[in-house]
Amino acid sequence: MQNEYNIVFICLAAFMVNLAATQDNPCAKRMAVAGYVCVCNETYCDTVERPSQLPRGQYYYYMTSEDSPGFTKTVGTFINSTDTSLNVYKNISSDVYIHINSSIQYQTFGGIGASFSESSGSLFNNLSTEAQNKFLESFFGVSGLEYTFGRVPMASSDFSQRTYTYDDVAGDVELKYFNLTQDDFMYKIPIIKRAMALSERGLKLIATPWTAPDWMKTNNASKQGYIRSQYLEAWSKYFLKFLEAYSNEGIDFWAISHGNEYIIPLYFGAAFGMPNTVMMPAQARYWTKTYLGPMLKASPFKSVKLLSLDDERPFLNWWADRLYVDKEVAQFVDGIALHWYFDNAKSIVELEGFNTKYPDKIMVYTESSINSFQSSGGGSVNLGDWSRALRYINNVYQNLDHWVMGYLDWNIALNEDGGPTGATGITLDASVIINTTNGEFYKQPIFYALGHFSKFMPPESKKINVNIDQDTYDVEDDDMREESNILEKFVRMDMENSSSTTPSPFPTRKPDPPSNTVLALATVNPDGSHTLIAYNPRTVPANLIVTDDSIGTFNQTVPPHSLNSFVYW
């Protein structure tokens, strides 16, 4: 009998140790300018452990809301679907019926990520080693968001403090003078390697050039300008040289893109201040078919995916139709990279249309950010602003629900002024703000908005079918209306300045109005678990009645303005 007691005691002790080992550190909540942030420093930072398997019939419930930053975790229980207690919830306006059918599956997710800009790297270097460790753990570690994507600018970007390329020696077509710079070795490579070492899920890196060397371009300048045809082969070698140089440093890439925002500079004209290269589909076709595609496939980097466009959704099908019309080109280009800035000017029909025409091609969102001309709040950084997290939540839902397989934020961190900014002078907000004066960093609502999708929808998870039944009504949104006005102005300018009869790919309609509709997205995951993420945008609680055909039913009342993740086996 004593031995049996000992066995029970040992098992109970092991259970308690395991429970303690997976206990999350709560958010160190602080009221900021516009709402709550979670404060981290060298001695403390909040965590969220990876969900461990629960008995069948139970679920984890993770909640983040406007009033409750961080991840609040509880455990709930499924109810027998024939239980009459569920009847009391019928015909109540706050009820939201969510039906999950895992037998209907869609795209495979790759995950969530952010970019290793030079601005972010310079701020990171100002933190103490202990604070740096907590920063990286927060994004890439098993007790953090476990980001699986990272974007790396090839040379300078709009968040570099100087404009440069890897070969600024005029006429060096053999690229004898190609070399990485101190910017790579100070602000990018060391941080990327530490992130890779922390990541158990793996880190898919995407390389993107902002500009070709001035001497390769028609205007001999870092801004605007096409690549001269005589230098397209050298420009292709430049890509391979970059991949080789980083590989020599122990960093390999999952994908590389044609270039950052080839089309949008034509829209803004001289006002587009960042380094960039202009390219139209015809040149992209010729370049890819004649040089870049074959050279990449013949190189040691033949498994690196090639993405095109790396620009706004309004250009998606306009660009893809002109690129993929050449079947040889289609063999080289694995998919399309997109940015979120004008998504409200082109509906999700664009995404559906692309997937219908090119089902074997992927879509990845490689950039999103809140900037000063796009947002409310009286400035670029608005610490604790939940409305900015809402913009991300809506956009991530919309895109992941329509065939997009990955989603990346722009700068992984910025300072309290939204910088240090680069060539454009435009400042941005970020999911994490670093205070270089006192060594703290602040996790904003955006961090947790992206975190739910990153943490609980791991790479290789499959989107599954979700049907929602609810009462809804439309509401007005000042930010959407403001963005619509900006777009209308650009469209008008485009029409006035254009003499072409070719249909314009630029935005041509107002954005759809937002609503108080509860959003839901579900996946089946590689470890056999299921995830449901539901957002309640309402000012009142919503009662979710969730039925999964393979498990049963549960109901959970979720707070107003809350993002909610449910994980079960």
Side-chain angles (χ1 to χ4, degrees):
M1 181 64 73
Q2 184 63 43
N3 287 339
E4 292 178 3
Y5 282 134
N6 288 340
I7 292 171
V8 171
F9 177 78
I10 291 169
C11 291
L12 180 61
F15 172 77
M16 294 304 291
V17 167
N18 184 62
L19 186 65
T22 60
Q23 184 65 41
D24 297 337
N25 290 334
C27 162
K29 180 176 173 182
R30 180 186 295 175
M31 175 57 75
V33 175
Y36 291 109
V37 296
C38 297
V39 181
C40 295
N41 54 39
E42 63 182 23
T43 61
Y44 186 85
C45 201
D46 58 299
T47 59
V48 55
E49 296 293 338
R50 192 183 295 176
S52 56
Q53 185 166 349
L54 286 172
R56 187 176 178 86
Q58 293 185 334
Y59 62 87
Y60 288 112
Y61 170 36
Y62 298 85
M63 188 275 292
T64 304
S65 75
E66 185 171 16
D67 297 321
S68 181
F71 293 99
T72 300
K73 180 175 73 174
T74 56
V75 175
T77 304
F78 279 79
I79 304 169
N80 189 311
S81 59
T82 60
D83 195 323
T84 56
S85 65
L86 286 176
N87 293 332
V88 301
Y89 300 111
K90 292 183 178 179
N91 301 316
I92 300 175
S93 62
S94 67
D95 280 358
V96 178
Y97 291 86
I98 299 174
H99 180 254
I100 299 170
N101 182 358
S102 58
S103 67
I104 302 176
Q105 300 186 354
Y106 304 92
Q107 80 271 29
T108 301
F109 287 146
I112 305 294
S115 299
F116 296 96
S117 69
E118 290 169 29
S119 291
S120 299
S122 67
L123 294 169
F124 175 86
N125 289 345
N126 279 315
L127 294 171
S128 68
T129 301
E130 294 79 7
Q132 288 179 359
N133 291 339
K134 286 184 169 54
F135 178 96
L136 291 172
E137 180 67 25
S138 293
F139 280 107
F140 303 102
V142 292
S143 68
L145 303 187
E146 300 196 75
Y147 272 12
T148 52
F149 274 112
R151 190 177 185 220
V152 183
M154 291 170 58
S156 64
S157 70
D158 48 314
F159 274 79
S160 303
Q161 276 59 69
R162 66 189 185 96
T163 300
Y164 66 95
T165 72
Y166 294 128
D167 193 339
D168 289 321
V169 178
D172 182 24
V173 294
E174 297 300 323
L175 303 182
K176 294 178 181 178
Y177 296 97
F178 180 101
N179 63 278
L180 300 182
T181 70
Q182 62 178 357
D183 305 85
D184 295 277
F185 293 108
M186 291 178 64
Y187 306 130
K188 299 176 188 175
I189 290 172
I191 302 169
I192 294 169
K193 291 176 78 169
R194 287 172 66 180
M196 290 168 58
L198 273 175
S199 174
E200 287 193 1
R201 290 177 173 175
L203 193 57
K204 299 180 181 70
L205 296 174
I206 303 173
T208 305
W210 263 243
T211 181
D214 295 359
W215 55 269
M216 290 188 186
K217 297 168 69 176
T218 54
N219 64 345
N220 298 305
S222 63
K223 300 173 186 177
Q224 308 285 358
Y226 296 81
I227 298 175
R228 298 179 188 274
S229 296
Q230 70 198 76
Y231 295 127
L232 287 173
E233 183 176 8
W235 183 222
S236 303
K237 291 178 181 178
Y238 184 102
F239 278 53
L240 298 181
K241 286 271 193 180
F242 172 82
L243 294 173
E244 180 182 23
Y246 262 70
S247 182
N248 289 339
E249 297 298 325
I251 297 173
D252 294 317
F253 284 84
W254 175 76
I256 196 163
S257 83
H258 275 150
N260 182 72
E261 296 181 338
Y262 274 150
I263 303 300
I264 203 68
L266 298 174
Y267 211 19
F268 285 90
F272 196 79
M274 71 178 68
N276 71 283
T277 301
V278 178
M279 185 173 285
M280 298 300 283
Q283 188 178 35
R285 276 200 315 272
Y286 175 76
W287 170 41
T288 304
K289 179 178 180 177
T290 309
Y291 298 111
L292 181 59
M295 290 168 66
L296 187 62
K297 293 304 179 187
S299 77
F301 311 105
K302 58 185 178 182
S303 63
V304 175
K305 296 183 184 301
L306 180 59
L307 304 177
S308 194
L309 186 58
D310 225 341
D311 212 323
E312 318 306 316
R313 188 199 287 172
F315 313 133
L316 170 58
N317 284 290
W318 174 84
W319 179 276
D321 290 346
R322 286 156 178 78
L323 189 72
Y324 288 135
V325 69
D326 189 317
K327 301 305 179 187
E328 288 186 64
V329 174
Q331 294 176 14
F332 294 123
V333 182
D334 298 276
I336 298 291
L338 294 167
H339 297 182
W340 85 327
Y341 300 104
F342 295 107
D343 275 11
N344 290 321
K346 237 12 172 179
S347 79
I348 53 177
V349 172
E350 293 291 312
L351 303 176
E352 290 289 345
F354 177 86
N355 182 72
T356 299
K357 289 181 286 187
Y358 313 108
D360 61 327
K361 304 302 181 184
I362 60 174
M363 289 183 284
V364 183
Y365 265 70
T366 53
E367 186 176 318
S368 52
S369 66
I370 300 289
N371 50 51
S372 53
F373 68 81
Q374 188 192 32
S375 60
S376 61
S380 296
V381 174
N382 204 30
L383 279 173
D385 189 342
W386 180 262
S387 71
R388 296 184 175 189
L390 169 58
R391 295 180 75 94
Y392 273 81
I393 292 167
N394 279 327
N395 195 257
V396 174
Y397 261 108
Q398 185 182 88
N399 288 297
L400 296 190
D401 202 32
H402 292 88
W403 301 104
V404 171
M405 59 82 67
Y407 194 98
L408 284 79
D409 202 11
W410 186 190
N411 299 277
I412 198 168
L414 291 173
N415 64 23
E416 292 174 294
D417 296 321
T421 189
T424 62
I426 294 176
T427 53
L428 305 178
D429 212 338
S431 67
V432 165
I433 299 299
I434 294 177
N435 184 332
T436 56
T437 302
N438 61 17
E440 294 179 338
F441 61 91
Y442 312 122
K443 296 179 180 178
Q444 300 221 71
I446 295 170
F447 176 89
Y448 299 100
L450 291 170
H452 276 261
F453 298 96
S454 181
K455 188 69 178 181
F456 308 122
M457 290 182 170
E460 301 306 315
S461 61
K462 283 270 193 182
K463 176 182 173 289
I464 55 179
N465 182 257
V466 177
N467 286 313
I468 310 176
D469 184 13
Q470 61 187 309
D471 290 333
T472 62
Y473 60 91
D474 288 335
V475 295
E476 188 84 33
D477 181 270
D478 290 337
D479 273 357
M480 291 279 193
R481 186 170 61 246
E482 179 184 358
E483 185 167 324
S484 176
N485 291 338
I486 293 171
L487 291 170
E488 285 185 300
K489 181 183 76 171
F490 288 153
V491 171
R492 190 164 57 250
M493 290 168 55
D494 180 57
M495 293 176 66
E496 290 172 354
N497 296 332
S498 176
S499 58
S500 173
T501 57
T502 302
S504 171
F506 297 109
T508 56
R509 71 175 188 85
K510 294 181 180 180
D512 295 325
S515 72
N516 77 330
T517 303
V518 171
L519 304 174
L521 190 71
T523 58
V524 59
N525 307 320
D527 65 355
S529 65
H530 292 68
T531 297
L532 168 69
I533 303 182
Y535 176 64
N536 176 23
R538 302 173 181 177
T539 57
V540 296
N543 183 55
L544 308 185
I545 301 174
V546 179
T547 300
D548 186 317
D549 289 341
S550 63
I551 307 291
T553 299
F554 69 84
N555 84 278
Q556 181 77 53
T557 299
V558 300
H561 298 161
S562 65
L563 187 58
N564 310 271
S565 290
F566 305 91
V567 182
Y568 55 90
W569 278 260

